[in-house]
Amino acid sequence: MINAILTGIIKLIVGLVSLILTPIDNLILSTLPDLSNALTGVGNFLNLISTSIGWVISALGLSNETLSLIVLYFTFKLTAPMFFYMIKLAISWYDKLKP
């Protein structure tokens, strides 16, 4: 009996929410572009960037060694703090678990 009442109340709430949100949903669908168009635009933008990177590097005259040093520098800069934090975290866990 209680289960049927709760089920009915939930169905009523879901129906009312659907009734209230249907005009808003229709408005969003009519005014915003399709998601596939947005994803296609992002893909085209990334394709444009990837094709122009080679041209920019050759225009700047960067050698392979310079590019390797730049990549190594940023790799170290972005991963070293995380590595040291993980070591510090492991030491603190060990200290807490030590009898």
Side-chain angles (χ1 to χ4, degrees):
M1 176 76 175
I2 295 176
N3 190 17
I5 292 172
L6 289 176
T7 305
I9 290 172
I10 291 173
K11 286 182 181 180
L12 177 68
I13 291 172
V14 168
L16 289 175
V17 168
S18 176
L19 182 70
I20 292 170
L21 293 180
T22 300
I24 297 171
D25 189 34
N26 290 335
L27 180 68
I28 289 172
L29 288 175
S30 67
T31 57
L32 293 177
D34 190 21
L35 183 60
S36 64
N37 291 339
L39 293 177
T40 303
V42 169
N44 290 339
F45 178 69
L46 292 175
N47 190 20
L48 177 68
I49 289 174
S50 67
T51 56
S52 62
I53 285 176
W55 181 82
V56 170
I57 290 173
S58 78
L60 290 174
L62 297 174
S63 65
N64 288 339
E65 292 80 18
T66 307
L67 291 174
S68 296
L69 286 174
I70 291 171
V71 169
L72 285 173
Y73 169 74
F74 280 108
T75 302
F76 178 77
K77 182 179 177 181
L78 296 174
T79 57
M82 187 186 330
F83 179 71
F84 292 127
Y85 173 75
M86 293 303 289
I87 290 174
K88 183 180 171 184
L89 185 65
I91 290 172
S92 70
W93 284 352
Y94 176 74
D95 287 341
K96 289 180 182 177
L97 292 175
K98 190 171 51 171

